[in-house]
Every structure is written in structure tokens, then in C-alpha cells.
Amino acid sequence: MISKSIQDYFEFLRYCLHDDLDNGVEIPSCASTICWHDLLEFAKKQTLVGVYWRGVSMLGGLTTNKPTDDDVLEWMATVKKITDQNRLMFERVGYVSRTFASEGFRSCILKGQGNALMYPDPMMRQSGDIDIWLEGRDTDIIAYVRNLCPKAKACYHHIDFDRVKNASVEVHYRPSFMNNLPNNARLQKYFAEAAPKQFVNTTKNLDGMDDFCIPTPSFNRIFQMAHISNHFFQEGIGLRQLVDYFYLLRQGFSEEERQHDVKVLKRCGLYRITRAVMYVAQTVFGLEDRYLLAPPDRRLGRQLLREVIEAGNFGQHDERAGSGSAFGLQRNVNRLLRDVRFLFWYPSECLWEPVFRVWHYFWRRRH
């Protein structure tokens, strides 16, 4: 059961996500009762402070329960940090892309600042790590990175790269993956076939900063759903990842493109999580029907929403057994507990997860 306060936060979020806040959109009734300090704490948990601030800053017409001066100052201080970090990250992604290009690697920035460019104001989105996908074989990329960072840890889809000041960088040789090995093979085949277009899809950076490549919307609709699925099963996801997908969908697509996406999502085992995300996007964010990839599934969607509320951004606030924030043996135990918890909803990924973990252990031994 979702509490009244959380329902109010969702209602206000729909208002914040509207494209025309300054064109007479009615302030939602929940604004008359919301505790603005508590909303800020919720926004921090979900890394949506900048998104919520877009709505808070447009409350001039509110006659009751106005945010206090202290509330506004606290919001503004947090938003200032987000804006400064975004400018730094836009500079860094341009620099990283240019640096790898000078070493002969074509690249593509996954999520992050590429997603920020889909927002009405790129500074709204709270930035995280830099995920850069390099063109080439995994063994070649790992060897290159370890030549510069000898202690860099590699996993199946990326390797850490600690040579960039004030930024955490993950160098990808695969955008994402699935636990189910046959589904993963199909997903990797899709990535490989679509890859050439991603490394030439250049976008404009902020003034005075190096441009960089981002995925095409078509590729992003598949990749980011795989990313959502992966983190959902591994550790948890927050509303920010779903808001990213909301803005991605609102870029639009043709019916032919939608049918193509559905075919790929089904083939790669991503259709059930897609229907869950569509439920959240429509029910919580107010996504219009024409932007839905698939029919929303209420049962799966409500289960996803409960996990999002409980876990926060990437499961960092999940205090239940089975959260993804532990390390070592406890982390493996938590993974098994998560598999049990989600088994009824997503049996394929959950049953394959222990198998993938064993397979991945030997993969890492070889790399």
C-alpha cells in the first residue's frame, strides 16, 4: 500500500514533468499539504532534486502552504550543487571522448549526460558516473585500460578507469547484459548489429566543450530497458532511471519502430519489465498513450513501484535483506534473496542469475 505522502509526491512529480509549467498549468491540489522539507528528502533518495525543483520554483501562485524561506534556500543550495556537477560532467564527457578518439577508439556516452540532453533543462538531471562505450573487442579494450590502470577491475560489460580527475568512469565494451544466457546472446547480437550507428551519432555539447556521441533513440529504447532490468535484479533502481526512460519515450517513434522494439524486447526477455515500466510511466508520470511501447501491466508495475519506493536510487536506501549494497559473501547471499523475492514475477532472470554468476566467475578469471 502506497502511503498518502508518497502519492502526493507522485502527483507533484507529474506536475514537474509537464513541458509547459510556465503556460498556465494548474498547480496540483497536493501542494497545499505537502511538507516541502520531506519532499526534498524524498527527492534526494530518488536523485530527482533538480526535477522536483522545476515544479517548486513555479509555485508563485500558491496561496497556502508556501515553502518557507529556509525550505527554498535548502532546495536552491542543493540545486546549485547539481548544476555545478552537471557542468563539470559535460566538460568531462567531452574530454574523455576526445581523449579516447586520439587513441584510435570511437566511443559513445551511455546514459548520463546524453540522457540529460533529453530533459527540458539539461541541468535538471542529477549526474552520476561517466559510462563510455568503446568500439572494439573486450580483450583489446581491457588490455588498453590496464596498461594505464594496472589494478583496474573488469567485469563482463565494463572496466573501471580512474584516470579522469573528479569523475568516476566506466569503460564499456558491452552496453549491458542479461542473466539468462540465451537471452543475453540475442541482446549482444542486437548491440553488435546496431553499434556502427551509435559511434557516429554526434550530439552538440555545451558551448566551448567537446562534442560527443550518444545512442540513437531506437538503440536507447532497447539498451536503457536492459539497463533498468539489470539494475532491478542486481541491486535496485530509483525513479531517476524511470524518468530518464519517460523523456526517452517522449522523443517519439513510429508504429513501425514500436513494433520493431517490441520484437527485440520479447526476443531478449525484456518484455515483462517493459510492461512494468510502461505502467509506472503512465500512472505515475502521466505518459500519453501514443508514447507507450507496450500495454502497461498493473500487477508488474505496482510491484516495480514498491521496489523503487523501498530501495531508492540503485538500491542505496534498501535496508531489507537482499539489498544490493553489501560486499563479498553477504552480497552473494543478498543476490540469492533477491532472486527468491522476484522469482514469481520474473522466473527466467531469477533462475538464471546463479548460473550467470558462476559463469561470470570463470569469465573474470580469464580476464
Side-chain angles (χ1 to χ4, degrees):
M1 187 71 177
I2 299 175
S3 68
K4 175 63 167 58
S5 60
I6 297 295
Q7 291 178 17
D8 287 347
Y9 299 160
F10 287 165
E11 182 181 356
F12 194 73
L13 179 58
R14 284 195 295 275
Y15 170 70
C16 298
L17 292 175
H18 200 285
D19 286 341
D20 301 308
L21 285 185
D22 55 351
N23 290 335
V25 178
E26 186 176 349
I27 297 173
S29 59
C30 65
S32 63
T33 58
I34 279 179
C35 173
W36 300 108
H37 177 77
D38 289 349
L39 176 60
L40 176 57
E41 293 306 309
F42 177 79
K44 288 179 179 178
K45 178 180 177 180
Q46 300 292 341
T47 58
L48 288 178
V49 173
V51 174
Y52 271 110
W53 171 247
R54 185 166 184 256
V56 172
S57 64
M58 299 297 293
L59 293 176
L62 192 64
T63 57
T64 60
N65 193 41
K66 288 187 176 182
T68 66
D69 290 344
D70 287 343
D71 288 332
V72 172
L73 287 173
E74 187 176 8
W75 277 89
M76 290 180 67
T78 308
V79 170
K80 176 66 164 55
K81 292 179 182 178
I82 293 171
T83 300
D84 291 345
Q85 181 66 14
N86 263 313
R87 291 193 179 279
L88 173 65
M89 296 303 282
F90 274 114
E91 188 277 330
R92 288 290 185 263
V93 296
Y95 165 77
V96 170
S97 298
R98 173 169 53 83
T99 300
F100 279 115
S102 69
E103 294 294 320
F105 290 102
R106 294 200 301 178
S107 67
C108 175
I109 298 296
L110 302 172
K111 307 184 278 64
Q113 302 314 110
N115 279 354
L117 294 173
M118 298 187 295
Y119 283 56
D121 176 1
M123 299 303 169
M124 289 168 54
R125 186 184 186 274
Q126 206 158 329
S127 60
D129 300 339
I130 295 176
D131 293 83
I132 185 167
W133 178 23
L134 300 188
E135 185 179 36
R137 297 187 305 176
D138 56 0
T139 51
D140 294 339
I141 294 170
I142 291 171
Y144 171 79
V145 170
R146 284 202 173 132
N147 185 53
L148 298 173
C149 312
K151 296 183 179 180
K153 293 183 178 180
C155 63
Y156 175 65
H157 63 309
H158 69 74
I159 184 170
D160 297 333
F161 186 77
D162 62 2
R163 295 291 295 270
V164 181
K165 186 178 179 181
N166 297 325
S168 176
V169 179
E170 293 179 352
V171 174
H172 285 249
Y173 23 86
R174 297 179 184 88
S176 189
F177 66 94
M178 301 289 292
N179 290 328
N180 181 310
L181 293 179
N183 285 343
N184 182 59
R186 288 187 281 269
L187 181 66
Q188 300 310 319
K189 181 180 179 182
Y190 168 79
F191 288 156
E193 291 174 347
K197 292 183 180 179
Q198 316 315 310
F199 297 116
V200 296
N201 188 44
T202 305
T203 190
K204 196 72 177 172
N205 202 341
L206 303 186
D207 289 345
M209 300 182 187
D210 293 300
D211 297 339
F212 56 95
C213 290
I214 60 173
T216 62
S218 175
F219 183 91
N220 248 341
R221 290 192 295 271
I222 305 301
F223 155 63
Q224 293 204 39
M225 189 58 69
H227 172 73
I228 289 170
S229 174
N230 184 273
H231 279 287
F232 176 70
F233 290 111
Q234 299 260 347
E235 55 198 354
I237 61 167
L239 284 175
R240 183 185 65 174
Q241 290 72 44
L242 302 182
V243 169
D244 282 351
Y245 208 82
F246 165 84
Y247 279 121
L248 171 61
L249 291 174
R250 293 196 86 206
Q251 291 188 303
F253 44 84
S254 67
E255 175 59 21
E256 182 181 1
E257 289 173 322
R258 189 195 70 81
Q259 291 181 12
H260 169 267
D261 292 349
V262 167
K263 184 178 179 180
V264 174
L265 291 165
K266 286 182 175 180
R267 191 166 65 238
C268 297
L270 289 165
Y271 192 64
R272 286 175 66 82
I273 190 72
T274 298
R275 295 191 64 188
V277 171
M278 293 304 104
Y279 174 87
V280 175
Q282 183 179 66
T283 305
V284 177
F285 305 153
L287 183 69
E288 301 88 337
D289 288 350
R290 66 181 181 276
Y291 296 124
L292 293 172
L293 281 179
D297 187 299
R298 181 177 182 274
R299 185 186 62 161
L300 292 172
R302 289 178 67 85
Q303 187 266 349
L304 172 61
L305 201 53
R306 286 194 298 270
E307 290 295 322
V308 166
I309 294 169
E310 190 73 35
N313 186 54
F314 288 143
Q316 294 173 359
H317 302 274
D318 196 341
E319 298 179 355
R320 299 168 299 175
S323 71
S325 58
F327 296 93
L329 178 61
Q330 184 60 50
R331 184 178 180 86
N332 287 324
V333 171
N334 286 349
R335 290 273 184 86
L336 290 173
L337 291 173
R338 287 183 71 84
D339 293 338
V340 171
R341 191 161 78 238
F342 297 151
L343 183 61
F344 174 78
W345 309 94
Y346 302 95
S348 174
E349 280 295 283
C350 293
L351 291 173
W352 272 95
E353 197 274 336
V355 177
F356 179 87
R357 204 169 344 141
V358 172
W359 178 87
H360 189 221
Y361 169 78
F362 289 103
W363 186 94
R364 295 185 74 164
R365 290 287 297 269
R366 297 195 309 270
H367 296 81

